């Protein structure tokens, strides 16, 4: 493919993508295929000779699209949003064209510097304390990770390194292995599984902290657990708070938890992967009160801020803590501007992901991004009102942002049957969670294109299936 054909095919692809997104609600949101469907549709080996581009594009519809779950369909209400916007897609195209591997300032000055500035822009939009802003002389700063899972792992490993150094400062004869065996981390029983996985990778114990009736961790429970572990000779060193849990969008009480962590010399990381984007709105910013106690903070613009995957933003209060834990300096990476070498992540290579933030922030502006968040919160409230108006259903958690947790009044088995009917219909897509031992349906406002009419149609579909389910049960 030469430049002339690339120009022609590029225009065709933009048209294909625009058509796909404009007409996405015409496609069943959930695929009707069985595991292994794809293998029989393509050859068992790669072609020996080049193939025709038109044949490849035809196979996108024949092979790929039948097996796609359409995350950007206005009938997709599962998990949490996967952000998408045209400015972000265009920036991704440019990122792919530039193709730099920005592992150091020298490897790509623009890639390194724009990322730092974008994280400062975003931090100011969130009204983060000054200590998290890099500026030109700050001690903190931000970095783009691939996912919140990576951010959590990096924070835990940095905290582990800091804890080892702190213990060895007063007990120099203690080995790292001996200290590791005593370290204990904490997180909510409602936290994402990636937090527990970070502890497995980091080789440290992790305690699950029970939550209150709002599915939030409170200070008194954490304090009691920490004191018991210290009395048993363990070393509490890390707590991961969650703002916007996956099951219910619950919010840990960081104003209570932060002083405890600071007083015990424990690293506090805040995972706000989904909910964090809402904090750009003044009415939701109080949910972040207490962030000043944190050592690190993470959210995913690729969930709710119109920046395509992958783009997970992470800030640290003192970047020396994280750089010191992971810094490696072979001769081929040495450069006088070392702090911008990004010793803040698992892989060495990094894409020019800050372009997506730059394009989106400039083309939407803060007001446009706030409007997007507010619209989706309003849609969730609309769905909540529909559920509450039907006496057969109940709301299972406070609706704060864009997630509604609801269920049919009755057994877990009844709700499991309803979800199976919803999934089998392929008209809308939901996933469940478990809250206080109850099987609950999650309805998350996800797609940028979702409107009130889609919410109304989704509820009509759920109620129709409910009629069928209850009629069968009575029969």
């Amino acid at each position: 493919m030469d430049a002339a054909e690339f120009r022609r095919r590029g225009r065709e692809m933009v048209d294909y993508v625009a058509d796909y997104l404009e007409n996405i609600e015409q496609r069943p949101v959930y695929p009707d295929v069985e595991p292994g469907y794809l293998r029989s549709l393509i050859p068992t080996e790669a072609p020996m000779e080049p193939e025709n581009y038109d044949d490849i594009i035809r196979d996108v519809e024949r092979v790929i699209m039948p097996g796609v779950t359409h995350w950007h369909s206005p009938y997709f209400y599962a998990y949490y949003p996967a952000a998408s916007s045209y400015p972000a897609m265009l920036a991704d195209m440019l990122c792919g064209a530039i193709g730099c591997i920005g592992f150091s300032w020298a490897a790509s000055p623009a890639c390194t510097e724009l990322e730092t500035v974008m994280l400062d822009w975003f931090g100011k939009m969130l009204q983060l304390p000054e200590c998290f802003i890099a500026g030109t002389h700050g001690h903190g700063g931000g970095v783009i990770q691939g996912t919140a899972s990576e951010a959590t792992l990096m924070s835990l490993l940095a905290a582990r390194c800091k804890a080892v150094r702190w213990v060895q400062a007063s007990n120099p004869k203690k080995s790292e292995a001996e200290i590791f065996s005593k370290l204990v981390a904490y997180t909510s029983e409602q936290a994402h599984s990636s937090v527990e996985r970070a502890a497995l990778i980091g080789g440290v114990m992790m305690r699950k902290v029970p939550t209150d009736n709002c599915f939030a961790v409170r200070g008194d429970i954490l304090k009691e657990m920490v004191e018991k572990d210290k009395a048993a000779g363990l070393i509490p060193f890390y707590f991961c708070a969650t703002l916007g849990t996956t099951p219910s969008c619950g919010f840990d009480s960081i104003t209570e938890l932060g002083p405890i962590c600071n007083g015990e010399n424990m690293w506090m990381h805040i995972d706000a992967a989904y909910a964090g984007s809402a904090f750009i709105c003044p009415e939701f910013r109080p949910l972040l009160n207490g962030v000043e106690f944190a050592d690190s903070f993470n959210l995913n613009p690729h969930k709710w801020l119109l920046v395509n995957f992958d783009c997970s933003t992470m800030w640290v209060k003192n970047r020396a803590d994280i750089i010191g834990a992971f810094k490696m300096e072979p001769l081929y990476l040495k450069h006088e501007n070392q702090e911008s070498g990004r010793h803040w992540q698992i892989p060495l290579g990094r894409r020019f992901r800050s372009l997506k933030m730059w394009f989106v922030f400039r083309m939407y502006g803060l007001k446009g991004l706030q409007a997007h968040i507010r619209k989706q919160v309003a849609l969730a409230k609309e769905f909540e009102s529909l559920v509450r108006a039907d006496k057969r259903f109940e709301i299972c958690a406070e609706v704060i942002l864009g997630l509604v947790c609801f269920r049919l009044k009755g057994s877990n088995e009844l709700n499991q049957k309803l979800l199976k009917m919803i999934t089998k219909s392929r008209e809308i897509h939901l996933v469940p969670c478990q809250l206080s031992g109850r099987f609950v349906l999650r309805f998350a406002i996800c797609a940028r294109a979702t409107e009130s009419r889609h919410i109304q149609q989704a509820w009509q579909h759920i109620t129709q299936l409910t009629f069928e389910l209850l009629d069968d049960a009575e029969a």
Side-chain angles (χ1 to χ4, degrees):
M1 183 180 289
D2 58 17
E5 185 180 4
F6 175 72
R7 290 177 190 275
R8 179 165 61 91
R9 298 302 190 181
R11 294 187 187 99
E12 291 173 1
M13 181 58 75
V14 168
D15 284 340
Y16 179 86
V17 169
D19 288 342
Y20 166 72
L21 292 173
E22 282 190 328
N23 299 294
I24 194 169
E25 64 182 271
Q26 307 304 321
R27 298 176 184 261
V29 64
Y30 194 71
D32 185 21
V33 296
E34 297 295 330
Y37 89 95
L38 189 144
R39 185 173 290 274
S40 65
L41 298 179
I42 60 176
T44 57
E45 297 179 359
M48 187 67 68
E49 300 294 334
E51 293 191 3
N52 184 279
Y53 181 84
D54 290 323
D55 291 338
I56 297 172
I57 290 300
R58 278 192 290 269
D59 278 350
V60 170
E61 285 294 336
R62 183 181 69 87
V63 178
I64 303 302
M65 286 301 178
V68 170
T69 300
H70 298 286
W71 279 63
H72 302 289
S73 167
Y75 299 115
F76 182 93
Y77 305 108
Y79 314 109
Y80 274 134
S84 176
S85 70
Y86 294 121
M89 290 181 221
L90 292 173
D92 244 350
M93 288 174 61
L94 181 57
C95 171
I98 293 173
C100 64
I101 312 297
F103 52 73
S104 69
W105 184 89
S108 186
C111 178
T112 298
E113 294 194 15
L114 185 63
E115 183 167 331
T116 300
V117 175
M118 287 302 98
L119 270 290
D120 278 1
W121 276 22
F122 195 16
K124 291 173 183 176
M125 291 161 62
L126 295 161
Q127 299 178 47
L128 290 183
E130 189 68 26
C131 56
F132 288 100
I133 306 300
T136 54
H137 302 292
H139 296 291
V143 64
I144 299 176
Q145 304 284 0
T147 63
S149 303
E150 293 172 35
T152 301
L153 176 60
M154 292 299 287
S155 68
L156 182 137
L157 295 178
R160 188 187 70 175
C161 179
K162 189 175 180 180
V164 168
R165 290 173 179 171
W166 178 74
V167 173
Q168 287 182 332
S170 55
N171 299 277
K173 291 185 179 180
K174 283 199 172 184
S175 66
E176 282 194 1
E178 185 181 359
I179 297 170
F180 282 0
S181 69
K182 300 291 185 182
L183 293 177
V184 58
Y186 306 86
T187 195
S188 166
E189 63 184 3
Q190 295 287 313
H192 193 272
S193 60
S194 61
V195 181
E196 188 174 8
R197 191 165 183 262
L200 290 173
I201 296 171
V204 296
M205 291 180 281
M206 178 162 278
R207 299 263 197 261
K208 295 288 190 70
V209 184
T211 57
D212 65 10
N213 292 335
C214 295
F215 309 107
V217 173
R218 305 304 298 261
D220 55 345
I221 301 297
L222 177 65
K223 187 174 181 61
E224 182 182 342
M225 293 179 68
V226 167
E227 288 175 350
K228 283 184 179 179
D229 286 339
K230 286 171 64 180
L234 299 176
I235 306 171
F237 81 104
Y238 178 87
F239 174 69
C240 179
T242 305
L243 298 181
T245 58
T246 300
S248 68
C249 199
F251 290 80
D252 291 342
S253 182
I254 57 176
T255 54
E256 296 178 11
L257 298 162
I260 295 169
C261 292
N262 289 181
E264 297 291 346
N265 201 29
M266 294 166 55
W267 184 297
M268 184 167 82
H269 175 68
I270 296 175
D271 173 19
Y274 161 67
S277 295
F279 304 155
I280 65 172
C281 299
E283 64 268 34
F284 299 125
R285 177 56 178 78
L287 294 168
L288 190 56
N289 288 349
V291 68
E292 63 271 14
F293 297 111
D295 296 278
S296 54
F297 167 64
N298 165 254
L299 68 88
N300 291 350
H302 69 230
K303 275 193 168 69
W304 208 11
L305 211 65
L306 302 173
V307 178
N308 295 34
F309 187 87
D310 61 339
C311 183
S312 182
T313 50
M314 177 185 183
W315 291 265
V316 292
K317 183 176 289 182
N318 185 352
R319 60 179 176 265
D321 288 337
I322 198 163
I323 292 171
F326 304 107
K327 194 169 186 177
M328 301 292 291
E329 292 189 313
L331 183 59
Y332 51 82
L333 292 182
K334 283 185 179 293
H335 187 271
E336 61 185 16
N337 197 342
Q338 289 290 21
E339 280 207 0
S340 62
R342 290 304 191 217
H343 306 275
W344 303 36
Q345 59 169 20
I346 296 168
L348 176 63
R350 44 192 309 105
R351 298 188 301 115
F352 204 164
R353 292 176 291 203
S354 56
L355 281 172
K356 293 185 287 192
M357 298 179 71
W358 195 43
F359 275 44
V360 169
F361 289 173
R362 294 181 68 184
M363 293 199 71
Y364 279 90
L366 177 56
K367 289 184 178 180
L369 296 171
Q370 290 172 335
H372 171 67
I373 297 291
R374 288 167 177 152
K375 175 184 175 182
Q376 297 214 322
V377 172
L379 290 172
K381 289 293 186 180
E382 179 179 352
F383 184 80
E384 178 192 14
S385 68
L386 294 170
V387 176
R388 290 191 183 279
D390 190 324
K391 300 304 180 184
R392 297 170 301 174
F393 289 86
E394 59 184 330
I395 296 293
C396 303
E398 183 182 1
V399 180
I400 299 174
L401 297 177
L403 174 69
V404 182
C405 293
F406 74 107
R407 71 195 301 273
L408 265 174
K409 293 175 181 176
S411 67
N412 285 344
E413 182 183 18
L414 186 68
N415 283 277
Q416 289 168 353
K417 287 180 179 178
L418 177 59
L419 181 61
K420 285 182 180 178
M421 293 174 70
I422 291 171
T423 302
K424 187 176 180 181
S425 74
R426 299 166 57 224
E427 291 194 24
I428 63 174
H429 188 39
L430 309 180
V431 293
C433 67
Q434 189 172 57
L435 298 175
S436 301
R438 298 189 300 172
F439 187 89
V440 173
L441 306 185
R442 296 172 73 262
F443 189 96
I445 309 300
C446 293
R448 175 174 52 86
T450 304
E451 302 287 350
S452 176
R453 65 182 177 86
H454 301 114
I455 301 299
Q456 298 289 335
Q457 289 174 25
W459 179 243
Q460 289 173 14
H461 183 63
I462 291 170
T463 54
Q464 177 60 42
L465 293 178
T466 300
F467 278 124
E468 296 174 13
L469 175 62
L470 295 180
D471 282 348
D472 288 345
E474 291 177 2

